[in-house]
Amino acid sequence: RGVLATGTILDAGGALVADASMRLFFVTAARPGQPPLADEPPGDGDLLAQLEGRIQGAARDVLVMNTGVGHRNPVGVMHGGISFAATGAGGMAALQAVSPGLVASAVHVVFARAIPVGGQVAFRSTVLHVGRAHGVVRVDGYATDGTVCTFGTVTAHGRPPQE
């Protein structure tokens, strides 16, 4: 049971800024014995603070998170949106360590297996390319036991000149 959702973002002049698609699977009920989800959404703040993550490594290439109730979905594993956000944040930290002017333009995540919550997880980045106009980084998400659970790619582009 699932759906393919698509969307576009246009600027004030009607020019295409972003085009996105996402395949969604429906989760209708929590597994028996799971504690309730967090009732309150996170407050304002930067993405790393929201994720309760930190960037490590000399190349700023590892995002580490201690996971808990606020990171899980009703099934009891890490929410896909959290994995997606961690992939983007971790990838951009690695790219911006090499080229600070880059901004994210695309994030793609393949969910190979669920990431259990309740321990420390890591999103490890490998910069594949950085040029004058864009950069690409691969980001793999690892469970506490070292199992690779997600495979991601973050693409970034240079900021347009300010007028």
Side-chain angles (χ1 to χ4, degrees), residues 64-98:
V64 176
M65 297 168 47
N66 291 315
T67 60
V69 172
H71 297 102
R72 70 177 181 83
N73 65 17
V75 178
V77 297
M78 184 179 285
H79 189 285
I82 301 290
S83 301
F84 180 86
T87 297
M92 285 308 299
L95 282 173
Q96 289 176 338
V98 178

Short mmCIF file of all heavy atoms in Angstrom, two decimals, residues 64-98:
data_model
loop_
_atom_site.label_atom_id
_atom_site.label_comp_id
_atom_site.label_asym_id
_atom_site.label_seq_id
_atom_site.Cartn_x
_atom_site.Cartn_y
_atom_site.Cartn_z
N VAL A 64 26.54 12.32 13.83
CA VAL A 64 26.24 11.32 14.85
C VAL A 64 25.00 11.77 15.61
O VAL A 64 24.86 12.96 15.95
CB VAL A 64 27.43 11.14 15.81
CG1 VAL A 64 27.09 10.17 16.92
CG2 VAL A 64 28.65 10.67 15.04
N MET A 65 24.10 10.83 15.88
CA MET A 65 22.88 11.13 16.64
C MET A 65 22.65 10.05 17.69
O MET A 65 22.84 8.87 17.41
CB MET A 65 21.65 11.12 15.71
CG MET A 65 21.65 12.15 14.63
SD MET A 65 20.36 11.86 13.39
CE MET A 65 18.91 11.55 14.36
N ASN A 66 22.24 10.47 18.88
CA ASN A 66 21.75 9.54 19.88
C ASN A 66 20.23 9.52 19.72
O ASN A 66 19.58 10.53 19.95
CB ASN A 66 22.14 9.98 21.29
CG ASN A 66 23.63 9.85 21.50
OD1 ASN A 66 24.23 8.84 21.15
ND2 ASN A 66 24.24 10.87 22.07
N THR A 67 19.69 8.40 19.29
CA THR A 67 18.28 8.35 18.94
C THR A 67 17.39 8.00 20.12
O THR A 67 17.81 7.31 21.04
CB THR A 67 18.04 7.34 17.80
OG1 THR A 67 18.45 6.05 18.26
CG2 THR A 67 18.81 7.72 16.56
N GLY A 68 16.16 8.49 20.06
CA GLY A 68 15.19 8.21 21.11
C GLY A 68 13.78 8.31 20.57
O GLY A 68 13.55 8.31 19.35
N VAL A 69 12.82 8.45 21.45
CA VAL A 69 11.40 8.47 21.09
C VAL A 69 11.09 9.53 20.04
O VAL A 69 10.30 9.30 19.13
CB VAL A 69 10.52 8.67 22.35
CG1 VAL A 69 9.07 8.89 21.99
CG2 VAL A 69 10.65 7.48 23.28
N GLY A 70 11.72 10.69 20.13
CA GLY A 70 11.44 11.77 19.19
C GLY A 70 11.90 11.49 17.77
O GLY A 70 11.55 12.23 16.86
N HIS A 71 12.66 10.44 17.56
CA HIS A 71 13.17 10.11 16.23
C HIS A 71 12.41 8.97 15.55
O HIS A 71 12.71 8.63 14.42
CB HIS A 71 14.65 9.70 16.32
CG HIS A 71 15.54 10.78 16.80
ND1 HIS A 71 16.02 10.82 18.09
CD2 HIS A 71 16.04 11.88 16.18
CE1 HIS A 71 16.79 11.89 18.24
NE2 HIS A 71 16.81 12.55 17.10
N ARG A 72 11.45 8.38 16.23
CA ARG A 72 10.83 7.17 15.69
C ARG A 72 9.46 7.42 15.09
O ARG A 72 8.79 8.40 15.37
CB ARG A 72 10.76 6.09 16.75
CG ARG A 72 9.78 6.35 17.85
CD ARG A 72 9.77 5.15 18.81
NE ARG A 72 8.83 5.38 19.86
CZ ARG A 72 7.52 5.13 19.75
NH1 ARG A 72 7.03 4.65 18.65
NH2 ARG A 72 6.72 5.37 20.77
N ASN A 73 9.06 6.46 14.27
CA ASN A 73 7.72 6.47 13.69
C ASN A 73 6.82 5.54 14.50
O ASN A 73 7.29 4.92 15.47
CB ASN A 73 7.79 6.08 12.20
CG ASN A 73 8.26 4.65 11.98
OD1 ASN A 73 8.26 3.82 12.89
ND2 ASN A 73 8.68 4.36 10.77
N PRO A 74 5.55 5.39 14.13
CA PRO A 74 4.66 4.52 14.91
C PRO A 74 5.07 3.05 14.95
O PRO A 74 4.62 2.31 15.81
CB PRO A 74 3.30 4.68 14.22
CG PRO A 74 3.37 6.02 13.56
CD PRO A 74 4.80 6.17 13.13
N VAL A 75 5.90 2.60 14.03
CA VAL A 75 6.34 1.21 14.01
C VAL A 75 7.50 0.99 14.99
O VAL A 75 7.83 -0.13 15.32
CB VAL A 75 6.72 0.79 12.57
CG1 VAL A 75 7.23 -0.62 12.51
CG2 VAL A 75 5.54 0.97 11.64
N GLY A 76 8.13 2.08 15.45
CA GLY A 76 9.19 1.95 16.44
C GLY A 76 10.59 2.05 15.90
O GLY A 76 11.55 1.83 16.63
N VAL A 77 10.75 2.39 14.63
CA VAL A 77 12.07 2.57 14.04
C VAL A 77 12.22 4.03 13.62
O VAL A 77 11.27 4.80 13.66
CB VAL A 77 12.29 1.62 12.83
CG1 VAL A 77 12.24 0.18 13.27
CG2 VAL A 77 11.29 1.90 11.73
N MET A 78 13.45 4.42 13.22
CA MET A 78 13.67 5.81 12.86
C MET A 78 12.74 6.23 11.73
O MET A 78 12.60 5.55 10.72
CB MET A 78 15.12 6.05 12.45
CG MET A 78 15.40 7.53 12.16
SD MET A 78 17.11 7.87 11.72
CE MET A 78 17.87 7.74 13.32
N HIS A 79 12.11 7.38 11.92
CA HIS A 79 11.21 7.95 10.92
C HIS A 79 12.02 8.26 9.66
O HIS A 79 13.14 8.77 9.73
CB HIS A 79 10.59 9.23 11.49
CG HIS A 79 9.49 9.79 10.66
ND1 HIS A 79 9.73 10.47 9.50
CD2 HIS A 79 8.16 9.76 10.83
CE1 HIS A 79 8.58 10.85 8.97
NE2 HIS A 79 7.60 10.43 9.78
N GLY A 80 11.44 7.98 8.51
CA GLY A 80 12.12 8.25 7.24
C GLY A 80 12.48 9.70 7.05
O GLY A 80 13.51 10.02 6.45
N GLY A 81 11.65 10.61 7.55
CA GLY A 81 11.95 12.03 7.44
C GLY A 81 13.17 12.43 8.25
O GLY A 81 13.93 13.31 7.86
N ILE A 82 13.38 11.75 9.38
CA ILE A 82 14.58 12.00 10.19
C ILE A 82 15.82 11.52 9.43
O ILE A 82 16.83 12.23 9.37
CB ILE A 82 14.48 11.30 11.56
CG1 ILE A 82 13.26 11.78 12.34
CG2 ILE A 82 15.77 11.44 12.35
CD1 ILE A 82 13.34 13.19 12.84
N SER A 83 15.74 10.33 8.84
CA SER A 83 16.86 9.81 8.04
C SER A 83 17.16 10.73 6.87
O SER A 83 18.32 11.00 6.54
CB SER A 83 16.54 8.41 7.50
OG SER A 83 16.29 7.52 8.54
N PHE A 84 16.10 11.21 6.23
CA PHE A 84 16.25 12.12 5.09
C PHE A 84 16.95 13.41 5.53
O PHE A 84 17.90 13.87 4.90
CB PHE A 84 14.87 12.43 4.50
CG PHE A 84 14.88 13.35 3.33
CD1 PHE A 84 15.07 12.85 2.05
CD2 PHE A 84 14.70 14.71 3.50
CE1 PHE A 84 15.08 13.71 0.96
CE2 PHE A 84 14.71 15.57 2.41
CZ PHE A 84 14.90 15.06 1.13
N ALA A 85 16.47 14.00 6.64
CA ALA A 85 17.07 15.24 7.13
C ALA A 85 18.52 15.04 7.55
O ALA A 85 19.38 15.89 7.28
CB ALA A 85 16.24 15.79 8.31
N ALA A 86 18.81 13.92 8.20
CA ALA A 86 20.19 13.64 8.63
C ALA A 86 21.10 13.43 7.42
O ALA A 86 22.26 13.86 7.42
CB ALA A 86 20.22 12.41 9.54
N THR A 87 20.58 12.79 6.38
CA THR A 87 21.36 12.62 5.14
C THR A 87 21.70 13.98 4.55
O THR A 87 22.86 14.25 4.19
CB THR A 87 20.58 11.77 4.13
OG1 THR A 87 20.38 10.46 4.68
CG2 THR A 87 21.31 11.66 2.80
N GLY A 88 20.71 14.86 4.46
CA GLY A 88 20.94 16.19 3.90
C GLY A 88 21.90 17.01 4.74
O GLY A 88 22.83 17.63 4.22
N ALA A 89 21.69 17.02 6.06
CA ALA A 89 22.55 17.81 6.95
C ALA A 89 23.98 17.28 6.96
O ALA A 89 24.94 18.04 6.90
CB ALA A 89 21.98 17.81 8.37
N GLY A 90 24.13 15.96 7.04
CA GLY A 90 25.46 15.36 7.05
C GLY A 90 26.20 15.59 5.74
O GLY A 90 27.39 15.93 5.72
N GLY A 91 25.49 15.41 4.63
CA GLY A 91 26.11 15.62 3.32
C GLY A 91 26.53 17.06 3.10
O GLY A 91 27.62 17.33 2.60
N MET A 92 25.67 17.99 3.50
CA MET A 92 26.01 19.40 3.31
C MET A 92 27.17 19.83 4.21
O MET A 92 27.98 20.66 3.81
CB MET A 92 24.79 20.28 3.52
CG MET A 92 23.80 20.23 2.36
SD MET A 92 24.57 20.55 0.73
CE MET A 92 25.21 22.21 0.96
N ALA A 93 27.26 19.27 5.40
CA ALA A 93 28.40 19.61 6.27
C ALA A 93 29.71 19.21 5.60
O ALA A 93 30.69 19.97 5.61
CB ALA A 93 28.26 18.93 7.63
N ALA A 94 29.74 18.03 4.99
CA ALA A 94 30.96 17.56 4.32
C ALA A 94 31.27 18.42 3.09
O ALA A 94 32.42 18.79 2.85
CB ALA A 94 30.81 16.09 3.93
N LEU A 95 30.24 18.75 2.30
CA LEU A 95 30.47 19.57 1.10
C LEU A 95 30.90 20.98 1.48
O LEU A 95 31.83 21.53 0.88
CB LEU A 95 29.20 19.64 0.25
CG LEU A 95 28.91 18.43 -0.62
CD1 LEU A 95 27.54 18.56 -1.28
CD2 LEU A 95 29.99 18.24 -1.68
N GLN A 96 30.25 21.57 2.48
CA GLN A 96 30.59 22.94 2.85
C GLN A 96 31.95 23.04 3.53
O GLN A 96 32.55 24.11 3.53
CB GLN A 96 29.48 23.54 3.71
CG GLN A 96 28.23 23.80 2.89
CD GLN A 96 27.07 24.29 3.72
OE1 GLN A 96 27.01 24.08 4.92
NE2 GLN A 96 26.14 24.94 3.05
N ALA A 97 32.47 21.93 4.06
CA ALA A 97 33.83 21.94 4.60
C ALA A 97 34.84 22.15 3.48
O ALA A 97 35.92 22.70 3.69
CB ALA A 97 34.12 20.64 5.35
N VAL A 98 34.48 21.71 2.28
CA VAL A 98 35.36 21.84 1.11
C VAL A 98 35.05 23.12 0.34
O VAL A 98 35.95 23.80 -0.13
CB VAL A 98 35.20 20.61 0.17
CG1 VAL A 98 36.06 20.74 -1.06
CG2 VAL A 98 35.52 19.33 0.91
#
